[in-house]
């Protein structure tokens, strides 16, 4: 790269889906010869990819924009919050901040890139070959997010993502698989399949077939999972709703084709609350199905998120949720206290808000219940041998994850080893100790 390459500083906030957007923008800019820098101060412009899902995320996004304006001055805002620019305009009025160069919504890669072109012209000679064929990844080299669709056909009452991102648009199976294949060839050991609703993949394109290698592959959840499972990497499925056809994929887990891991954001268990939330795949017999899944794939780890204190949630609903949790014995669970999102239908349901202190109390009870479940599940792993992928090397102890742990959201396995372990190594580990969220063991 020549010394004159323009430098762009990039802040990526929000969920894994936003991270994939960031990676695409960066790949494009690198292809055009821009350089990335970690500090705002020396950069020619700053891009802030925002998250606008919850008020707390909005506050974080506004703070990041404010910081970039202060430290650099030339700022381009993109991402979910960009779709609701009123808040940004209110916090940083254009007249006071002519340096807020552009505000675009999520997936507006071209507008972001255009804004960069106007602010800092691209170098004359694009160094296209400086970009590796698999793109530039913000995640470590050994794992990568694979986005299979954009948008969502559901209309959960607390969520504005369909308003921000539109209805489901699935990528053709062949395209997804070619990207996955390139990633694996480039050294990626674990593919994290993401979307807003992974199990709905392909509905919008009527499960159309597309070419991959010498065959046609249907844009169907099961077909895609099966093909991904042949690439030789760990395949982890996120944001799956418990529609009936999910049962089929459990067989692939039992066969070892995809990881025995399901990330299902249940959000609640009480039928009343689920109805008010308008959740997809809301089945009465979810507990029975979980039991059946575990009979087929005994190592299946289920991770989920829940919202406590949703409007109208009664003590009875909440206790139903606690009992459900005890029965379901989910491996990994995250919880949020309900926060109203501006523009969400939930605000107009006319349901009574749960007072903040009640929310807090329920949140604590929920977390205590889950901690006990999680600790018990982890204790049962002591003495077992687990496959662990190494995320961080260390002189005597490396940090990794078992098949039951997704990066960034789940627990860790701390591995002592006599020989140095490298990032991306997959090793067999004998588990010796467990605490509430993490495991400790020795490489064997
Ligand atoms: S499934 Fe529900 S919560 Fe998830 S993106 Fe779609 S509407 Fe939002």
């Amino acid at each position: 790269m020549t010394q004159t390459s323009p430098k762009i500083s990039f802040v990526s906030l929000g969920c894994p889906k936003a991270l994939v957007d960031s990676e695409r923008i960066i790949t494009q800019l690198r292809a055009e010869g821009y350089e990335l820098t970690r500090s705002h101060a020396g950069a020619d412009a700053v891009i802030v990819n925002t998250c606008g899902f919850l008020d707390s995320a909005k506050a974080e996004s506004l703070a990041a924009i404010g910081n970039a304006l202060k430290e650099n001055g030339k700022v381009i805002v993109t991402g979910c919050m960009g779709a609701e620019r009123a808040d940004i305009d209110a916090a940083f009025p254009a007249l006071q901040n002519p340096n807020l160069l552009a505000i675009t919504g999520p997936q507006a890669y071209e507008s972001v890139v255009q804004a960069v072109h106007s602010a800092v012209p691209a170098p004359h000679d694009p160094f296209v070959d400086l970009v590796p064929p698999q793109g530039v990844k913000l995640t470590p080299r050994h794992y990568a997010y694979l986005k299979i669709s954009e948008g969502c056909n559901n209309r959960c009452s607390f969520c504005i993502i369909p308003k921000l991102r539109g209805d489901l648009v699935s990528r053709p199976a062949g395209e997804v698989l070619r990207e996955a294949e390139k990633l694996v060839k480039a050294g990626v050991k674990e593919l994290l399949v993401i979307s807003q609703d992974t199990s709905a993949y392909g509905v919008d394109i009527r499960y159309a077939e597309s070419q991959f290698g010498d065959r046609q592959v249907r844009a169907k959840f099961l077909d895609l999972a099966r093909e991904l499972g042949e690439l030789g990497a760990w395949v982890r499925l996120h944001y799956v709703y418990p529609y009936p056809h999910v049962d089929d994929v459990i067989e692939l887990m039992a066969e070892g084709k995809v990881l025995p891991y399901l990330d299902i954001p249940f959000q609640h268990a009480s039928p009343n609350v689920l109805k008010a939330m308008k959740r997809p795949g809301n089945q009465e017999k979810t507990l029975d199905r979980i039991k059946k899944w575990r009979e087929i794939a005994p190592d299946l780890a289920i991770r989920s998120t829940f919202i406590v204190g949703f409007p109208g949630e009664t003590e009875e609903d909440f206790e139903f949720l606690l009992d459900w949790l005890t029965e379901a014995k989910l491996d990994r669970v995250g919880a949020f206290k309900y926060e109203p999102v501006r523009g969400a239908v939930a605000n107009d349901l006319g349901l009574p808000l749960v007072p903040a202190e009640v929310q807090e109390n329920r949140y604590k009870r929920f977390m205590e219940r889950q901690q006990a479940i999680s600790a018990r599940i982890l204790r049962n792993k002591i003495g077992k041998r687990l496959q662990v992928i190494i995320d961080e090397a260390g002189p005597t102890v490396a940090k990794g994850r078992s098949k039951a742990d997704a990066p960034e959201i789940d627990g860790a396995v701390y591995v002592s080893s006599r020989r140095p372990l490298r990032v991306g190594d997959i090793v067999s580990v004998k588990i010796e100790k467990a605490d509430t969220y993490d495991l400790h063991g020795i490489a064997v």
Side-chain angles (χ1 to χ4, degrees):
M1 184 80 50
T2 63
Q3 285 173 338
T4 52
S5 295
K7 292 188 181 57
I8 306 293
S9 172
F10 204 106
V11 183
S12 185
L13 300 168
C15 61
K17 284 158 280 206
L19 192 62
V20 175
D21 290 349
S22 297
E23 287 170 3
R24 289 197 185 165
I25 295 165
I26 290 172
T27 299
Q28 179 63 32
L29 292 175
R30 286 291 307 272
E32 293 176 359
Y34 289 89
E35 215 179 289
L36 283 185
T37 160
R38 282 181 186 279
S39 90
H40 291 348
D44 295 291
V46 180
I47 301 174
V48 184
N49 190 3
T50 58
C51 174
F53 191 54
L54 293 173
D55 287 348
S56 43
K58 283 185 190 169
E60 190 190 3
S61 297
L62 287 176
I65 296 168
N67 224 356
L69 281 169
K70 201 167 81 203
E71 290 178 20
N72 182 284
K74 287 187 177 174
V75 181
I76 295 159
V77 177
T78 184
C80 283
M81 213 182 150
E84 296 183 272
R85 60 177 299 161
D87 289 347
I88 302 177
D89 286 339
F92 309 103
L95 282 178
Q96 285 171 27
N97 264 306
N99 288 337
L100 201 49
L101 302 174
I103 302 179
T104 69
Q107 295 140 41
Y109 319 118
E110 285 181 4
S111 325
V112 174
V113 172
Q114 265 168 23
V116 174
H117 290 167
S118 342
V120 198
H124 285 307
D125 192 8
F127 292 80
V128 176
D129 47 347
L130 289 177
V131 178
Q134 76 282 8
V136 175
K137 298 194 310 82
L138 293 180
T139 40
R141 220 174 101 85
H142 62 296
Y143 64 83
Y145 293 98
L146 187 65
K147 196 170 185 179
I148 61 171
S149 61
E150 305 277 11
C152 182
N153 285 350
N154 303 310
R155 293 294 180 263
C156 301
S157 58
F158 55 81
C159 177
I160 51 166
I161 284 175
K163 272 194 201 163
L164 296 178
R165 304 205 155 201
D167 280 341
L168 180 77
V169 179
S170 301
R171 297 175 65 197
E175 189 187 305
V176 174
L177 288 164
R178 277 189 293 279
E179 182 179 340
E181 199 179 43
K182 263 196 231 164
L183 288 166
V184 174
K185 277 195 188 139
V188 165
K189 302 273 183 59
E190 179 176 0
L191 295 165
L192 304 134
V193 176
I194 58 161
S195 67
Q196 306 293 346
D197 179 356
T198 295
S199 31
Y201 173 64
V203 174
D204 56 308
I205 49 172
R206 304 217 182 116
Y207 310 118
E209 289 189 337
S210 52
Q211 188 84 23
F212 175 59
D214 58 357
R215 56 197 179 280
Q216 295 285 320
V217 182
R218 282 187 310 171
K220 268 205 129 172
F221 175 53
L222 181 66
D223 300 47
L224 185 73
R226 188 182 292 121
E227 290 284 346
L228 287 171
E230 296 298 329
L231 296 178
W234 282 12
V235 176
R236 195 180 290 284
L237 302 173
H238 287 280
Y239 312 108
V240 175
Y241 289 96
Y243 302 118
H245 66 273
V246 170
D247 294 3
D248 303 332
V249 98
I250 307 293
E251 305 278 351
L252 290 181
M253 296 180 178
E255 290 166 27
K257 298 281 185 205
V258 302
L259 292 184
Y261 179 96
L262 274 181
D263 175 2
I264 309 182
F266 286 112
Q267 308 299 18
H268 215 283
S270 157
N272 298 332
V273 180
L274 286 172
K275 206 163 144 220
M277 287 178 168
K278 288 185 66 195
R279 292 294 290 162
N282 174 11
Q283 307 262 322
E284 274 176 26
K285 301 213 162 85
T286 307
L287 282 176
D288 291 346
R289 290 184 62 214
I290 292 178
K291 208 168 135 216
K292 219 175 99 211
W293 293 345
R294 285 187 173 136
E295 278 163 17
I296 302 168
D299 293 336
L300 176 66
I302 303 178
R303 89 113 31 211
S304 190
T305 49
F306 291 85
I307 297 174
V308 297
F310 189 76
E313 183 192 67
T314 60
E315 180 58 25
E316 206 183 343
D317 291 322
F318 180 67
E319 278 174 14
F320 187 99
L321 171 61
L322 287 185
D323 291 346
W324 189 94
L325 202 61
T326 308
E327 282 281 312
K329 297 188 192 68
L330 304 182
D331 298 70
R332 301 285 184 187
V333 166
F336 302 94
K337 284 170 270 182
Y338 174 75
E339 272 187 51
V341 173
R342 185 142 30 90
V345 175
N347 304 329
D348 310 320
L349 293 177
L351 293 166
L353 289 182
V354 176
E357 62 279 10
V358 178
Q359 271 195 334
E360 186 59 39
N361 170 283
R362 289 184 186 164
Y363 174 79
K364 274 202 191 121
R365 285 156 67 200
F366 181 94
M367 292 313 285
E368 274 164 20
R369 181 73 61 103
Q370 179 55 33
Q371 270 157 16
I373 297 168
S374 168
R376 204 171 316 128
I377 292 174
L378 292 188
R379 262 200 316 275
N380 284 340
K381 298 193 181 190
I382 295 175
K384 292 200 173 145
R385 283 180 185 212
L386 302 179
Q387 294 284 99
V388 172
I389 187 163
I390 301 300
D391 285 338
E392 285 171 35
T396 51
V397 177
K399 188 177 174 195
R401 290 172 292 108
S402 74
K403 291 180 178 175
D405 310 299
E408 291 163 49
I409 50 175
D410 294 329
V413 184
Y414 293 90
V415 186
S416 335
S417 166
R418 260 187 248 137
R419 67 182 171 90
L421 298 173
R422 283 166 312 174
V423 171
D425 280 351
I426 296 179
V427 286
S428 183
V429 175
K430 183 159 182 258
I431 303 301
E432 298 188 318
K433 201 174 109 203
D435 49 42
T436 317
Y437 299 112
D438 300 326
L439 294 169
H440 305 259
I442 181 157
V444 289

